[in-house]
């Protein structure tokens, strides 16, 4: 019996929502530490075998350079590294730190330029223009919120996943697939309507400390402030609003990962993994999970390169999804 991927995804959306409802804080850490690394390495491998979805040879180099700019300040912020660095290195790294959000923005812009603009000279001119724009935007709170906080997190795991599913529905005109897109779109409303639970107030010290040390709680704070539910000045684990926002974050991340693993029969990413690659990928994954188990913050920082690299390499897929959705409805309007 052939597995219906769309039906499976309906189940995965509901499963992610139910488990997130029961364990809004714990589920995020579990998914991030176990499913996250496996998602990074398998998707990067698949994208590589698809020639990164970009014809431009510079794309991979650009992604690597921009990922290094994002990751290095965090990596060298580790105590055992920072304490052994020459003072001049520390100063240089502190100089780079404000430009990390600029690097994220330029990678997204670079994906649009590489896919939509054919003229090489025009590509360079546009990239420089957006580089200047982002340089003068690094002190703007709205720029740092959207680009530095939301883009590599909730926009990546929720909005781009939604768009990718929408694009897939338009390609094969699946009724259940369309239902899944609507269901995913309605999840924030469903969470808003769900009653709170007393067990949300029972959170272990390990979970609390991990959120604080890894600064995961900041995403919750920024979301709350953005949608006007708080002024962003405090964070309370037992607050209902905090728990519901974390419920959504946990759901979005968990389903993002599960959606990827469910697509083996659709996009066939598993077919690009031979025996040798399987051993390498499993070794990286087991090491990653072990790092998180040993020290969550350490694992988070040491795996930032893989994490951001997979986000950056996925940008062309996001651009293609947006382009094809617009093209589909434009054809309907004009045809």
């Amino acid at each position: 019996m052939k597995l219906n991927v769309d039906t499976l995804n309906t189940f995965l959306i509901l499963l992610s929502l139910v488990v997130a409802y029961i364990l809004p804080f714990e589920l995020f850490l579990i998914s991030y530490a176990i499913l996250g690394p496996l998602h990074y390495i398998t998707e990067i491998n698949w994208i590589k075998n698809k020639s990164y979805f970009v014809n431009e040879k510079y794309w991979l180099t650009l992604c690597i350079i921009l990922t290094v700019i994002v990751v290095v300040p965090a990596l060298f912020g580790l105590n055992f590294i920072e304490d052994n660095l020459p003072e001049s290195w520390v100063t240089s790294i502190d100089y780079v730190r404000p430009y990390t959000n600029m690097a994220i923005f330029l990678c997204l812009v670079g994906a649009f330029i590489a896919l939509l603009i054919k003229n090489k000279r025009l590509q360079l001119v546009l990239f420089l223009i957006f580089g200047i724009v982002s340089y003068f935007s690094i002190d703007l709170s709205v720029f740092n919120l959207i680009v530095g906080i939301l883009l590599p997190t909730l926009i990546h795991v929720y909005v781009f996943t939604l768009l990718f599913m929408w694009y897939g529905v338009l390609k094969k005109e699946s009724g259940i697939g369309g239902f899944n897109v609507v269901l995913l779109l309605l999840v924030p409303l469903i969470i808003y309507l769900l009653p709170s639970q007393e067990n949300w107030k029972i959170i272990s010290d390990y979970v609390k400390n991990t959120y604080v040390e890894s600064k995961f709680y900041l995403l919750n704070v920024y979301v709350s402030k953005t949608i006007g539910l708080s002024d962003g000045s405090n964070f309370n684990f037992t607050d209902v609003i905090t728990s519901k926002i974390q419920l959504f974050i946990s759901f979005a991340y968990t389903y993002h990962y599960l959606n990827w693993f469910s697509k083996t029969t659709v996009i066939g990413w598993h077919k690009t993994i031979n025996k040798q690659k399987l051993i390498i990928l499993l070794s990286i994954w087991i090491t990653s999970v072990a790092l998180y188990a040993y020290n969550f913050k350490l694992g988070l920082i040491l795996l930032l390169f893989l994490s951001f690299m997979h986000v950056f390499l996925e940008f062309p897929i996001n651009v293609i999804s947006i382009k094809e959705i617009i093209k589909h409805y434009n054809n309907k309007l004009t045809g």
Side-chain angles (χ1 to χ4, degrees):
M1 181 179 172
K2 189 176 179 181
L3 181 66
N4 187 310
V5 177
D6 290 330
T7 303
L8 173 62
N9 269 276
T10 305
F11 170 74
L12 292 178
I13 291 172
L14 296 175
L15 176 66
S16 301
L17 184 57
V18 169
V19 180
Y21 180 62
I22 298 170
L23 301 168
F25 289 94
E26 294 84 352
L27 177 62
F28 174 77
L29 298 182
I30 294 168
S31 297
Y32 199 93
I34 298 175
L35 298 180
L38 190 60
H39 169 59
Y40 308 155
I41 56 180
T42 52
E43 185 175 37
I44 289 172
N45 177 69
W46 175 69
I47 291 173
K48 176 181 178 293
N49 282 276
K50 291 292 184 178
S51 301
Y52 305 101
F53 292 92
V54 178
N55 292 326
E56 307 298 346
K57 294 181 180 179
Y58 63 76
W59 173 245
L60 178 60
T61 303
L62 178 67
C63 285
I64 292 173
I65 292 171
L66 295 176
T67 301
V68 168
I69 291 172
V70 172
V71 169
V72 163
L75 183 64
F76 283 82
L78 289 169
N79 291 335
F80 67 87
I81 295 179
E82 188 174 23
D83 292 344
N84 293 285
L85 282 177
E87 190 174 339
S88 58
W89 283 42
V90 175
T91 304
S92 299
I93 293 164
D94 286 340
Y95 178 78
V96 173
R97 202 179 304 274
Y99 299 100
T100 55
N101 292 345
M102 181 177 169
I104 298 170
F105 176 76
L106 286 178
C107 196
L108 178 61
V109 167
F112 275 98
I113 291 173
L115 284 167
L116 304 180
I117 307 298
K118 302 301 180 185
N119 185 286
K120 295 288 193 295
R121 185 172 296 178
L122 182 56
Q123 286 182 349
L124 179 59
V125 170
L126 287 173
F127 193 79
L128 290 174
I129 290 173
F130 280 106
I132 294 170
V133 170
S134 61
Y135 176 80
F136 287 104
S137 301
I138 56 177
D139 291 326
L140 298 176
S141 58
V142 66
F143 177 82
N144 292 316
L145 171 65
I146 295 173
V147 175
I149 304 296
L150 298 179
L151 178 57
T153 56
L154 288 179
I155 292 176
H156 170 74
V157 299
Y158 180 70
V159 178
F160 286 157
T161 299
L162 184 65
L163 290 174
F164 187 65
M165 290 170 62
W166 189 356
Y167 170 43
V169 169
L170 295 180
K171 282 178 68 177
K172 63 176 186 177
E173 298 182 348
S174 166
I176 299 176
F179 170 78
N180 289 340
V181 170
V182 174
L183 179 60
L184 190 60
L185 190 62
L186 290 175
V187 163
L189 176 61
I190 294 171
I191 291 173
Y192 173 77
L193 295 174
L194 285 173
S196 61
Q197 293 196 93
E198 281 300 313
N199 73 303
W200 288 354
K201 298 179 182 180
I202 306 171
I203 306 170
S204 70
D205 290 337
Y206 172 80
V207 171
K208 290 180 180 178
N209 292 336
T210 301
Y211 269 85
V212 173
E213 289 173 4
S214 302
K215 297 184 178 179
F216 282 141
Y217 75 96
L218 288 176
L219 178 58
N220 194 306
V221 171
Y222 280 115
V223 171
S224 178
K225 184 179 179 180
T226 300
I227 60 180
L229 295 179
S230 77
D231 60 4
S233 61
N234 55 30
F235 178 82
N236 186 345
F237 280 100
T238 61
D239 185 76
V240 172
I241 293 173
T242 298
S243 297
K244 286 206 170 187
I245 291 173
Q246 192 57 48
L247 196 169
F248 173 70
I249 293 170
S250 295
F251 162 80
Y253 271 85
T254 302
Y255 179 66
H256 173 72
Y257 299 142
L258 293 178
N259 175 264
W260 165 254
F261 295 123
S262 74
K263 295 294 176 66
T264 52
T265 58
V266 177
I267 60 179
W269 57 262
H270 64 296
K271 295 177 182 177
T272 64
I273 302 175
N274 55 34
K275 189 175 181 180
Q276 183 180 6
K277 278 186 179 179
L278 180 63
I279 294 172
I280 294 171
L281 296 179
L282 283 176
S283 299
I284 295 172
W285 177 57
I286 292 170
T287 303
S288 301
V289 175
L291 273 172
Y292 279 117
Y294 172 71
N295 186 300
F296 206 101
K297 182 182 177 181
L298 180 64
L300 173 68
I301 293 174
L302 292 181
L303 289 170
L304 266 184
F305 183 85
L306 272 180
S307 176
F308 269 93
M309 196 66 186
H310 109 275
V311 171
F312 286 178
L313 290 176
E314 197 180 296
F315 279 156
I317 303 173
N318 307 143
V319 173
I320 291 169
S321 297
I322 295 169
K323 176 187 173 184
E324 292 302 318
I325 290 170
I326 293 173
K327 182 180 176 182
H328 173 84
Y329 289 104
N330 184 59
N331 289 341
K332 278 201 165 187
L333 290 172
T334 57

